[in-house]
């Protein structure tokens, strides 16, 4: 005998029928887009193998544009959207709206799914029992691919409920209990009202989103990027959106969020990769705390200007000299004259653009010294000078084309560092700076310095290009560049233009860690952009919080701006966050502490032992056995190698060993924090960086002190809690 279907089974069947209808319509739309793409390719065809007539250009342009638009639509429709339909609104007037990742309409152009960014979808995120916004029931659908596997309902207006079925215990809390994996998930189905307000804020000027650990700042910012593209696609898709995060590990963690929301036209770069457009490479290595602080300081700006102005020629005790003869008559310039000429040229031109101007100034000064008795005109004198070996050797050494890397490497010479650092850095700082460049690889902090040098030097002059051939030799093309390609990338026709990309919007995550020199680097890529700035000063790894706040104030200037504070910690269990809050409050009493809304009933485990390696291994093994998701082991840089070795043989797919700075923005189900006092000592931000490490877990926290007596950081736990 067939058992009667439960209320849940009946509701699942109803929602599955609608989801099936959506996917069927989506398949029809994808087939239509493929036909459009094929039609675009057929607009222009030719059997010509070597050349094309001018009149064919219009047809080729139309083909490219048509194919580009068709391909974009097809890519959107073909994207794998887990949970394409995730929400339903039952309105008081009887209307029903389904909410999803992209909008889908039927043949009569009636909406089957409303894009989550559309105004009609706002009540899904903002309606509350006190202000239901005409919503009676809000339903969240949990799907696996195209199958509905769960339902969670919120009853917002009981007076209008009638016979509506209410199922589940709340979508948000259910989502928070899910195990964490190697990639950040979107929160499009569970966005809360204060988060939605920040996501949909005005696009102009500067939007600042602040909040403590676990408040969802990062994922809110990413949803804001998707919203901006939806609401003003022409501006932000053509101009581009740049998302900047603290590390490549972090960028890998968030890379799937925007594609899952139907957007893949956003550029993601770690702070160490921002200048890859100019430099051609990026960096992940972090300097030690002292070197990182020096390199991030604004004092480096005038120091680098001095370095650029310093000739490569070995000046010696009396400075460089240029000596040669013209028809047996000696002419020359001493160090003071050369220095004066160099300063005058560099006052008007960048180094790599100024070689010709410098040569003209040298020739003018030398020509004036040639005696009139030789009866040579100026052109003849210049020909004699420039033909000499002494001239060529001197000019090539005195004014070569310079790359940012070779200029910055000069600072590994203590004598050069002393010369350009006088009055800016003390002796100890000069020594630290010079020693830091003994490393073979560039650091994250170096990237901003190299970008500053690229700006000061200008691009290296390229060899004149050979004239493009009229005919295509062999009738083959190695790379097809369509009109759409050229429209979608930044093409610099003027070789004197700076090579850095510019964007219409910059979204800066973990902004509290951005150094003043890095802000200068970012501003070059957003001179005319709007900005979204996301951060929490209490988690700053930059020691001078006031300097960071000043840099942000200068960025905002007189531009329109707005601030949003996220007040709820969804990540950390209350037991974990209570400990972390005690730690940071002692050092930073003004810390913005959110409210932790979950409790696991499990207090943090504080261990102290001489056997660090064995203890970390055992605790990691236990967490992997007890928790279904990821486990992070956070250790100071000096202990990373030893900790990694100690964990060999455990589940490498779920276990991650990172430094505190690498852990920025990440989260794990269980976390082991190794040697908290060493984390404080080895990080520029001190206790604030330890606070970051302590707030990474979603379920369990373990700390391991390397001495049986415990660490000094525990003193803060003896302080009374505030509030």
């Amino acid at each position: 005998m067939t058992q009667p279907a439960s209320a849940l089974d009946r509701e699942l069947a109803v929602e599955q029928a609608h989801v099936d209808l959506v996917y069927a319509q989506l398949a029809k739309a994808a087939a239509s887009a493929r036909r459009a793409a094929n039609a675009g390719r057929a607009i222009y065809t030719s059997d010509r193998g070597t050349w094309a007539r001018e009149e064919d250009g219009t047809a080729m342009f139309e083909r490219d544009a048509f194919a580009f638009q068709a391909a974009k639509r097809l890519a959107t429709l073909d994207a794998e959207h887990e949970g394409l339909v995730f929400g339903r609104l039952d309105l008081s007037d009887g209307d029903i709206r389904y909410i999803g990742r992209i909008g889908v309409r039927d043949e009569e152009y009636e909406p089957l799914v409303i894009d989550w960014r559309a105004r009609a979808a706002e009540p899904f995120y903002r309606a509350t029992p006190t202000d239901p916004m005409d919503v009676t029931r809000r339903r969240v659908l949990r799907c696996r691919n195209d199958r509905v596997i769960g339902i969670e309902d919120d009853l917002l207006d009981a007076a209008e409920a009638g016979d509506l079925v209410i199922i589940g215990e709340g979508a948000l809390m259910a989502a928070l209990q899910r195990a964490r994996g190697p990639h950040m998930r979107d929160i499009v189905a569970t966005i809360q009202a204060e988060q939605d307000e920040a996501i949909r804020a005005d696009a102009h000027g500067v939007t600042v989103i602040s909040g403590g650990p676990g408040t969802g700042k990062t994922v809110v910012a990413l949803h804001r990027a998707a919203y901006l593209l939806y609401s003003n696609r022409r501006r932000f898709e053509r101009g581009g959106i740049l998302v900047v995060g603290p590390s490549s590990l972090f960028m890998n963690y968030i890379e799937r969020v925007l594609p899952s929301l139907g957007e893949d036209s956003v550029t993601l770069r770690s702070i160490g990769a921002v200048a890859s457009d100019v430099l051609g490479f990026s960096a992940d290595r972090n300097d030690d705390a002292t070197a990182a602080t020096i390199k991030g300081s604004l004092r480096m700006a005038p120091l680098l200007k001095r370095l650029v102005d310093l000739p490569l020629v070995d000046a010696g005790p009396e400075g460089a000299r240029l000596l040669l003869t013209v028809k047996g008559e000696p002419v020359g310039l001493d160090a003071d004259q050369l220095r004066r000429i160099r300063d005058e040229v560099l006052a008007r031109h960048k180094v790599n653009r100024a070689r010709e101007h410098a040569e003209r100034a040298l020739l003018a000064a030398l020509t004036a010294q040639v005696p009139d008795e030789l009866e040579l005109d100026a052109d003849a004198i210049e020909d004699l000078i420039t033909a000499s070996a002494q001239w060529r050797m001197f000019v090539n050494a005195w004014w070569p084309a310079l790359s940012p890397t070779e200029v910055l490497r000069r600072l590994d010479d203590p004598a050069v560092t002393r010369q350009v650092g006088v009055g800016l850095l003390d002796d100890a700082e000069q020594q630290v700076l010079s020693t830091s460049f003994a490393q073979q690889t560039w650091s994250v902090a170096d990237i901003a310095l190299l970008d500053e040098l690229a700006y000061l030097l200008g691009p290296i002059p390229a060899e004149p290009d050979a004239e493009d051939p009229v005919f295509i030799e062999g009738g083959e093309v190695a790379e097809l560049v369509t009109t759409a390609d050229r429209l979608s990338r930044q093409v610099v026709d003027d070789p004197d233009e700076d090579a850095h990309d510019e964007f219409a919007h910059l979204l800066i995550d973990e902004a509290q860690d951005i150094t003043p020199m890095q802000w200068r680097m970012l501003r070059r890529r957003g001179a005319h952009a709007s900005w979204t700035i996301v951060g929490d000063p209490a988690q700053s790894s930059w020691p001078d919080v006031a300097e960071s706040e000043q840099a942000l104030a200068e960025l905002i200037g007189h531009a329109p701006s707005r601030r949003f504070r996220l007040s709820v910690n969804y990540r950390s269990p209350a037991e974990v966050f209570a400990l972390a809050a005690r730690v940071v409050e002692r050092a930073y009493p003004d810390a913005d502490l959110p409210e932790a809304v979950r409790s696991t009933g499990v207090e943090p485990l504080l261990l102290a032992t001489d056997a660090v390696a064995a203890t970390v291994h055992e605790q990691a093994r236990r967490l992997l056995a007890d928790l279904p998701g990821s486990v992070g082991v956070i250790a100071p840089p000096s202990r990373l190698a030893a900790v990694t070795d100690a964990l060999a043989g455990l589940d490498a797919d779920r276990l991650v060993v990172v430094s505190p700075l690498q852990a920025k923005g990440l989260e794990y189900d269980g976390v082991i924090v190794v040697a908290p006092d060493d984390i404080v000592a080895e990080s520029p931000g001190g206790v604030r960086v330890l606070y970051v490490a302590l707030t990474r877990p979603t379920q369990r926290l373990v700390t391991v002190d390397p001495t049986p007596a415990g660490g000094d950081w525990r003193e803060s736990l003896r302080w009374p809690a505030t509030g």
Side-chain angles (χ1 to χ4, degrees), residues 43-56:
I43 288 177
Y44 174 79
T45 58
S46 173
D47 58 0
R48 301 180 187 276
T50 59
W51 61 280
R53 296 173 305 200
E54 184 176 348
E55 57 266 29
D56 293 325

Side-chain angles (χ1 to χ4, degrees), residues 391-408:
W391 166 267
R392 292 193 299 271
M393 291 173 61
F394 177 84
V395 173
N396 287 337
W398 188 63
W399 208 291
L402 297 174
S403 70
T405 51
E406 63 184 321
V407 173
L408 193 59

Side-chain angles (χ1 to χ4, degrees), residues 147 166 226 295 591 621:
R147 307 306 300 172
I166 305 300
K295 291 180 179 181
R621 186 191 63 77

